[in-house]
Amino acid sequence: MGRRPPMAVTSVTIGAPAPRDLAAFYAQLLGWAVTATEPARPGMPPEDGWAQIGPPAGEDGPRLSFEYEAKFTRPRTMI
């Protein structure tokens, strides 16, 4: 069996009901910057859109993307 090529996670996408707000929250929490953002598409709710954050220059880590999910359901803990 041959060697597998090296792989690295470069980005993670998270569905959210308000992606730009969530990106801003995590950017502040992690001390990262919002690196890209898109507003709501025509005919979509104002929460629609997309945003991405990334680690500071010179630091390793994946970019986190947040995109609008119209039918988002908040996770529940089962006890």
Side-chain angles (χ1 to χ4, degrees):
M1 189 177 273
R3 285 183 55 184
R4 289 186 176 180
M7 296 181 72
V9 174
T10 58
S11 65
V12 175
T13 301
I14 300 166
R20 293 183 312 279
D21 292 343
L22 193 57
F25 169 80
Y26 276 106
Q28 184 174 7
L29 178 72
L30 298 170
W32 290 12
V34 174
T35 57
T37 186
E38 290 184 8
R41 296 168 289 180
M44 295 296 288
E47 298 81 20
D48 180 61
W50 174 86
Q52 184 180 72
I53 66 173
E59 288 189 23
D60 288 333
R63 296 193 177 279
L64 299 178
S65 298
F66 301 86
E67 64 182 32
Y68 179 68
E69 188 172 327
K71 295 184 179 183
F72 178 82
T73 302
R74 177 178 244 171
R76 295 184 316 171
T77 317
M78 303 296 273
I79 298 178

